[in-house]
């Protein structure tokens, strides 16, 4: 039975999701593309013969929509996820669930009331082959006990000129907040953050140091104006060995006294396979009702929001800020 | 309209093709899996709800089969391709079309009589991202004129203990014969071949030197018992720059005084993406009737057979053997 | 005129220095090797026909000793350097000058009284080709303004089992403290430090974050029990580009499904060339009286001690500790 | 006792040798620099306080010259080596001993008559750390039996515009001819050679295939106008594993969507350490009379000339040419 999927939001991410549903998810059908801007929705839907809509709540309620992918603006993620829960429909919601941990809790509560998980959160890096190998090496005992994880998140440039250090923490770092928790299998205890000074008006990198409940130290650099390329690095240092993401390049060029490999320009090419795997896992979730083993849940969205909130306070105050989470509900055990 | 595909042959490659049709080709359906060994066919078909059959000619003729993938033993490739042409059905045939250039010609003639191309040949490396980038660099003029292409084809071990040097040329090297022609956009003029001596009974590597009509020199090493890993290397040397396939590894491990990346154990993981891309191109071919721009045709199968035949004679004689092909029919222009 | 050099201390480092003087410094002669343990001194001196002595102060005073290399235990570095200054002899003193910044000041004062620099400090990394290229790239403007420098200092295992986190800061990290100051051309403003928890009794890594007076953020990990190899990494991130130390390996081995390069087992092979360059610079210093342009001075020894002292307090307190240095005397301008 | 060395020839290589003698060979003194062009000799000698001369035979005969380094034009190598043998002086002669194997034999005969080896030949790659590790891996049995060795010799551009394919074989390839024999510990049986076509008047690469008496296959590409950099590659493929030269770069730069390492512009920086090691081995040879274990001898010069002569014939004829050497005299056992 084909799963009919609605994609809400027809921006860059929504268009990518629509394409994945239409081209990379046998068993799914792109039923409808919804955007406040109908022309934009039509632009995306047209290529795949999907319907066009502009009211997300109505789309969620449609009888011919079995499941939903939310890729609309961040502030809509939690309300629309709640609408999906109310409608009893599973939803793949782009990160973040909400930048407010309190709002994340409303989703968690709704799921608890419903007695089931509905929300799969779009922390796609969990499905990236490199992180999968990293976690496997740790679990298999090839590294000894985990001691540190070093993370570097670098974009060519910020999408907007008024991007701030706090936004680096709330918008970019959550990918690291989540995947580190996922790889290490623990929660954060504290966070501190600082920034170097740039010579221009662009947002400077943010350097964070986190401690986990298991006694690990985690460093995260978010450099939204790294200029040289989209470059995600991570190294997991164990007591006996260390594993790192290896840059993937298909060719190398010898020219002009250099040997060079290419960087991606942005995350979309770098994580293309991860998005496909993630969305296929979502399809199986819709088909079977079994929440995917490695996917991020509403709880993981809450965890990311909590540490981001602490990080913003840490950056503003120059202090180390404790990370305090509610007890993990049984639903997310 | 869903394209109903029959997969003929349920061995390793047939199983992989069946999986790709079922899981990675939206718009296609795995209609039937055919194998002389019905149990083996059932083993593959079962997972995807496909039908089982044992007579390939009958399968090709079925009204509910729109297109065919041939992954049965090599000697069946040409006869079954001919059956597909007769049935007016497009076919993705695993390489080689035939080890006999004369038999390849029968397919070419059948297509010419039919006035259209039906056969897409499974030289999947043309769809590998690395070779795609290599050809693009050449075409874009980033390398200057092509001078040499060096190729290394290494397997962990031979499938059979009675593998010979001639088989290295007819079974393994055709991948290089084809992709080099494809990248360089030319044909071969001559080939010589030699082998080092092993200390054991395993087949020794075969080292070939080829000249092209455009005056390039091509070297190909086929080492079927390289032991250390499945490793495909290629470098295209131009007058001003050089481009090489870069090994793809997602992680690297630091342990025991070494930094190490992993090799694939065989071609199936290494070229997984290429197979998917190739088969999707085949689907579009079936849907549109337009032969895929970079896919290999029956003509390319003939070209590979001609050079392999010359290579076998070169190895046996120790002489440089000219490679002589018929004129390219207009159908393959 | 041959420069007659005394090496004080015949341990591992002293033996290496004696070898360099005897074999890699044309224009210098290994005159005498001095160690409290005469047998150990003889063991080193014998190979090069040098004399043996056991009283360092007497050696420094000898008329047939033109210059001194100090490689005796850390606590002797400052007193023996002072003895060299009193004797009017130039001295290459192994790091640290002293773990006490106050004691470093006594050397600085002695040099100021004498009106000249006598002490070259053994921060050999300044002479390492990789750091030389890194600093050159920054100075040449290839990176834009420096924003961050990330440093990783990993040993296979600690020399002693009672090694502590404080010792990681006072004994290992000074190499990074110095070379980062040297590359960036600035001083530190503050330091914080934390450690993950190990599962055994070995000293855990120390993770430090430093801020510079120019507004850069510097991270330093010292992992004395990294197990996998001796591995020194550094990356300098600028506003427009980034440069990193590249691992040097002369060969790579394909075996057992991996491609591997080797790590050094310790710093002696890794920095062999840097030690030779450094000691040759010292020879020119002795010959010409011109302090080598990139060498570390007593002032640099003081700077390293100040930040290490702050680092120890930071680790103990969990607080960010300011780094406060006296004004740089004109002698070290 | 200081060894007084004369350097004959004050061109690029002579100047490098003079520098090494003066700065990197404790125990040696640069006594005299000899060149037909006295001004050029003076330019090199001046920096090190050495004498200047213009008559090489007279220099070789001088009582205050203990040993000789020959770096004058190729055609003088054999005659001057013979003069050294007559004078009973050991000589480090730049490669080639002679491009004529017959002339090489005159040197071999002279040494046999004298009953000792005098000539160390400047095949410095034997002292390169990478080749040392490669040979060690083979000898230690880490690769299994050697099957193939692939070699790539690439220069940015030819020194002269009238450089020919034959010259690539006689002037450039001897480095590979020698180091391959050295690593494999065998002799050549046959050689064939071919060239691709360039679009311009520059000399095209030469591709050679050699067979050894032990049944190995060796490929050598000499590309004197590779444009992109000075790049020497070699891979030794064994029955169980493979070892390759790894490019040495001290830093890597991230900029403009690429990650890049640098190539050397020529062999002088690439093999600087090898030249020093080689010349130091020569000094020990002079001091002890024991021919250095891994150095090239007159016999090795003969062997390189024989295969180069066969190579030139192979290139001209398009045929595989046997390589026939005289029996190895006992002196070179």
């Amino acid at each position: 039975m084909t799963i009919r999927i609605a994609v809400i939001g027809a921006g860059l991410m929504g268009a990518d999701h629509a394409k994945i549903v239409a081209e990379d998810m046998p068993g799914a059908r792109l039923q409808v593309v919804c955007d406040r801007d109908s022309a934009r929705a039509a632009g995306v839907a047209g290529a795949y013969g999907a319907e066009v809509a502009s009211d997300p709540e109505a789309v969620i309620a449609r009888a011919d929509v079995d499941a939903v992918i939310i890729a609309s603006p961040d502030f809509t993620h939690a309300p629309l996820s709640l609408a999906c829960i109310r409608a009893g429909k599973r939803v793949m919601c782009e990160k973040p669930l909400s930048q407010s941990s309190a709002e994340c809790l409303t989703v968690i509560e709704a799921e608890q009331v419903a007695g089931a998980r509905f929300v799969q959160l779009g922390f796609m890096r969990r499905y990236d082959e490199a992180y999968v190998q990293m976690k496997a090496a740790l679990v298999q005992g090839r590294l000894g006990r985990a001691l540190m994880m070093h993370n570097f998140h670098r974009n060519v440039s910020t999408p907007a000129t008024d991007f701030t250090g706090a936004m680096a923490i709330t918008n970019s770092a959550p990918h690291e907040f989540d995947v580190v928790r996922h790889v290490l299998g623990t929660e954060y205890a504290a966070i501190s953050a600082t920034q170097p000074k740039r010579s221009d008006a662009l947002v400077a990198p943010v350097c964070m140091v986190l401690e986990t409940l298991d006694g690990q130290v985690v460093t995260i650099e978010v450099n939204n104006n790294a200029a040289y390329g989209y470059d995600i690095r991570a190294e997991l240092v164990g007591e006996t060995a260390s594993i790192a993401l290896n840059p993937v390049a298909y060719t190398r060029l010898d020219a002009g006294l250099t040997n060079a490999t290419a960087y991606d320009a942005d995350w979309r090419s770098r994580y293309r396979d991860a998005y496909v795997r993630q969305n296929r896992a979502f399809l199986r979730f819709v088909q079977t009702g079994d929440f995917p083993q490695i996917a991020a849940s509403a709880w993981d969205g809450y965890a990311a929001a909590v540490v981001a909130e602490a990080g913003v306070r840490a950056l503003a105050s120059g202090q180390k800020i404790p990370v305090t989470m509610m007890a993990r509900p049984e639903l997310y055990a």
Side-chain angles (χ1 to χ4, degrees), chain A:
Chain A
M1 244 206 30
T2 298
I3 302 296
R4 298 159 297 181
I5 295 183
V7 171
I8 299 176
L12 211 60
M13 283 307 309
D16 282 356
H17 279 296
K19 187 175 196 312
I20 290 172
V21 173
E23 298 184 353
D24 285 293
M25 292 170 66
R29 180 163 71 223
L30 182 66
Q31 189 73 6
V32 53
V33 175
C34 173
D35 199 289
R36 295 288 178 201
D37 177 343
S38 297
R40 194 160 76 156
V44 171
Y48 313 109
E51 293 180 44
V52 173
S54 63
D55 177 351
E57 308 254 354
V59 161
I60 290 167
R62 278 169 62 152
D64 65 349
V65 165
D66 301 312
V68 179
I69 294 179
I70 300 175
S72 44
D74 287 7
F75 70 89
T76 68
H77 291 184
L80 293 179
S81 291
L82 288 168
C84 289
I85 296 169
R86 280 194 303 271
K89 294 184 182 170
R90 286 168 185 117
V91 54
M92 229 297 302
C93 180
E94 262 306 312
K95 48 89 21 192
L97 182 52
S98 167
Q99 289 189 11
S100 153
S101 63
E103 191 177 36
C104 290
L105 284 181
T106 64
V107 179
I108 286 175
E109 281 156 22
E111 290 197 329
Q112 286 182 286
V113 167
R117 302 196 212 175
F118 288 84
V119 181
Q120 179 181 332
L121 203 59
F123 283 128
M124 80 292 182
R125 287 204 201 164
R126 294 173 173 225
Y127 286 92
D128 178 63
E129 177 63 19
Y131 285 109
V132 167
Q133 290 185 9
M134 180 176 275
K135 186 171 173 63
L138 179 63
V139 169
Q140 292 158 6
R142 298 174 66 193
L143 312 177
R145 183 183 141 82
L147 291 173
M148 296 174 286
M149 192 163 160
H150 299 298
N151 305 273
F152 302 86
H153 180 139
R154 295 171 180 172
N155 300 84
V156 174
S157 58
T158 41
T161 53
D162 57 350
F163 209 83
T164 65
M167 289 162 75
I169 297 175
T170 56
N171 293 24
S172 304
H175 279 300
E176 275 76 21
F177 293 151
D178 181 70
V179 82
V180 170
R181 287 175 65 241
H182 171 66
V183 167
L184 295 180
T186 183
E187 299 294 351
Y188 300 109
I191 183 171
S192 59
T194 187
Q195 287 184 283
K197 290 195 178 65
R198 283 189 71 102
S199 64
D200 52 28
L202 296 175
V203 62
V206 176
C207 298
M208 288 164 267
V209 178
L210 297 95
E211 299 165 19
T212 72
L213 291 179
D214 285 356
Q216 287 112 355
V217 171
V218 174
T219 63
I220 301 175
E221 176 209 301
V222 176
N223 186 357
N224 292 109
N225 288 291
Y228 72 78
Y230 179 72
D231 186 13
I232 301 298
R233 304 181 189 177
E235 185 194 19
L236 173 53
V237 183
E239 288 187 349
T240 60
S242 171
I243 191 168
L245 309 191
N246 195 49
V248 167
Y250 295 96
T251 52
R252 56 179 186 275
L253 187 76
D254 288 314
L257 292 182
T258 63
N259 176 279
T261 53
Y263 279 106
D264 289 282
D266 66 29
W267 78 97
R268 294 164 68 207
S269 48
R270 170 68 179 80
Y271 287 109
R272 203 200 160 282
D273 287 353
Y275 278 112
V276 170
R277 290 183 184 189
Q278 165 195 267
N279 287 12
R280 287 179 170 212
F282 175 62
L283 178 61
R284 287 190 297 275
F285 173 36
V286 176
Q287 290 166 332
T288 66
D290 298 328
F291 193 81
Q293 202 177 353
I294 68 170
S297 66
W299 171 255
D300 299 306
Y302 163 74
V306 168
V307 64
E309 286 168 342
V312 169
R313 284 203 290 141
L315 182 64
S317 68
Q319 303 295 315
K320 179 159 79 176
I321 301 294
V323 178
T324 311
M325 290 171 65
M326 62 173 285
R328 185 192 283 252
E330 192 148 338
L331 182 61
Y332 305 102

